[in-house]
Amino acid sequence: MKKQLRKIAPVVKFYRKYKKKNKISSLIGMTSIEERFYYENYAERIYEGEGAIVDLGCWFGSTTISLAIGLAKNNKVRKAKPKIYALDQFLWEDWMVPFVKETKWENYFKVNDTFIQAFEENINKYKKHIVTQKVDLTKFKWQAGKIEFLLIDAMKSWDLLNAIQQNFYPYLIPEKSIILHQDFCHYYTYWIHLLTYRLKDFFSPVDATNSGSSVAFLLTKKMPDFVLDHKYVLSDFSEDEVEKAFEYSLSLVDDNAKGAIIAAKIMYYKASNGLEKARKYLDEVKEKGIVHYDISIVDDILKHS
């Protein structure tokens, strides 16, 4: 990552060594092996047990298990026996189908089925480290105290953005707590970039994985109640602030991830200005020769809109 990011974990150095062992590559999930190692490395080497580890949107458990493997090796917190809180609705959706292809779960679930039994089976070996909660995060109220690491893979809408900020951010510890946006480099979640920029005075970027879509931030100072209680909507953000927000996000990631953030900006234009503006910006991106998988997805979305 860029030099201005304060590394909280020596990801690249240890990942190269660890990659040969390949312990977590067989986990079912939507995360890269490097991201899984990042979670494991954090829980083993960085986590100090002052607050909980919270995994929002744990799906089949690749994030949760990676954290649990690391936590089990963390001698600093062994006596305290801290837990990882794994929160998800555990409701099956059509878009999940490709991620279980050629596994025992292929064709197993229908839309709106609960898949919590698959999660519990996957984490069985590590369950002593995990508290599993089937919840609707837009209604859930966190009551388990301070949070030291907040892995966010559930900020899939404005409602979830507001619920997560209002219900979890107040429990973060200044100069200690890390939030990690697993969807930071993803075409769908453009609102993450707007919120990140708006809160840049409170969160400092500290790390990002070279593969996958994760970017981590350190809470640098206490957030006032008027910030925590605010309910964000798209109209809160001027066009000027949006431009600065995406410039800021692009400055935090390596070249291989920039295309996903550009794709998210196209989706912002689609949501705020309509198809004409989105298509115009997409054409500009293509003329510049910028190519990325997420951009191709957005291109297809616009063609069918």
Side-chain angles (χ1 to χ4, degrees):
M1 281 302 298
K2 302 204 177 284
K3 291 182 179 179
Q4 72 266 27
L5 302 195
R6 183 181 72 84
K7 291 284 187 180
I8 59 166
V11 173
V12 176
K13 176 182 176 182
F14 284 100
Y15 173 64
R16 287 173 180 161
K17 181 179 179 181
Y18 175 92
K19 193 174 182 181
K20 298 176 182 178
K21 300 179 183 179
N22 217 15
K23 291 180 180 177
I24 48 183
S25 62
S26 61
L27 297 175
I28 300 172
M30 307 175 197
T31 49
S32 69
I33 298 174
E34 186 185 351
E35 285 176 303
R36 297 171 193 180
F37 172 68
Y38 182 94
Y39 311 142
E40 177 184 342
N41 188 54
Y42 171 83
E44 178 185 358
R45 300 173 183 272
I46 309 300
Y47 178 62
E48 295 183 352
E50 189 173 335
I53 296 176
V54 182
D55 185 0
L56 303 181
C58 47
W59 199 56
F60 268 46
S62 68
T63 51
T64 318
I65 293 169
S66 300
L67 287 164
I69 291 172
L71 186 60
K73 295 185 288 185
N74 187 332
N75 293 324
K76 294 180 294 185
V77 300
R78 185 164 293 175
K79 290 183 179 179
K81 297 181 180 179
K83 300 289 186 180
I84 298 161
Y85 290 81
L87 281 61
D88 202 298
Q89 274 196 299
F90 297 106
L91 291 178
W92 191 256
E93 298 183 47
D94 267 341
W95 60 266
M96 299 174 179
V97 170
F99 298 97
V100 294
K101 189 176 181 182
E102 298 181 358
T103 74
K104 65 177 288 185
W105 305 109
E106 185 173 6
N107 300 319
Y108 195 95
F109 301 108
K110 296 179 293 186
V111 173
N112 290 327
D113 281 353
T114 181
F115 58 88
I116 194 168
Q117 68 269 36
F119 176 82
E120 290 176 337
E121 180 176 317
N122 290 339
I123 68 162
N124 184 58
K125 184 178 177 180
Y126 313 96
K127 63 182 180 181
K128 70 178 182 179
H129 301 291
I130 300 166
V131 176
T132 304
Q133 295 180 278
K134 185 179 184 299
V135 300
D136 178 347
L137 287 173
T138 63
K139 300 174 182 177
F140 178 77
K141 301 297 181 184
W142 174 256
Q143 297 178 327
K146 295 179 181 179
I147 298 171
E148 190 170 336
F149 186 75
L150 182 63
L151 195 163
I152 306 170
D153 193 11
M155 201 174 273
K156 312 293 188 185
S157 68
W158 284 101
D159 285 343
L160 284 163
L161 177 152
N162 287 306
I164 290 168
Q165 173 178 276
Q166 293 172 359
N167 294 324
F168 295 93
Y169 282 26
Y171 297 94
L172 299 173
I173 309 162
E175 299 184 4
K176 171 72 68 174
S177 293
I178 299 294
I179 66 167
L180 183 141
H181 283 294
Q182 205 280 323
D183 284 326
F184 194 84
C185 303
H186 194 280
Y187 76 90
Y188 186 74
T189 49
Y190 68 84
W191 41 82
I192 290 176
H193 303 286
L194 308 188
L195 180 66
T196 298
Y197 185 73
R198 180 67 65 88
L199 300 182
K200 69 183 184 305
D201 291 338
F202 303 99
F203 289 98
S204 175
V206 289
D207 214 345
T209 51
N210 294 317
S211 64
S213 54
S214 296
V215 178
F217 298 83
L218 171 72
L219 179 68
T220 56
K221 61 183 177 180
K222 181 177 173 61
M223 300 173 68
D225 290 342
F226 76 88
V227 174
L228 291 166
D229 294 339
H230 185 75
K231 186 173 183 180
Y232 291 95
V233 293
L234 180 56
S235 59
D236 283 342
F237 302 88
S238 68
E239 289 191 12
D240 180 63
E241 186 176 15
V242 170
E243 291 297 321
K244 291 178 180 176
F246 280 102
E247 287 177 12
Y248 178 66
S249 291
L250 287 167
S251 75
L252 303 181
V253 302
D254 291 331
D255 289 344
N256 63 323
K258 292 184 188 296
I261 294 175
I262 290 170
K265 188 177 181 181
I266 298 170
M267 292 298 285
Y268 157 76
Y269 282 131
K270 179 177 181 293
S272 62
N273 300 94
L275 291 173
E276 184 177 349
K277 178 69 173 180
R279 286 170 176 156
K280 181 180 178 181
Y281 182 61
L282 175 60
D283 288 341
E284 293 173 2
V285 169
K286 288 181 176 179
E287 287 175 5
K288 293 178 181 177
I290 301 172
V291 178
H292 191 278
Y293 176 70
D294 281 36
I295 293 175
S296 67
I297 293 176
V298 171
D299 191 358
D300 191 58
I301 290 172
L302 296 186
K303 286 177 181 176
H304 293 88
S305 296

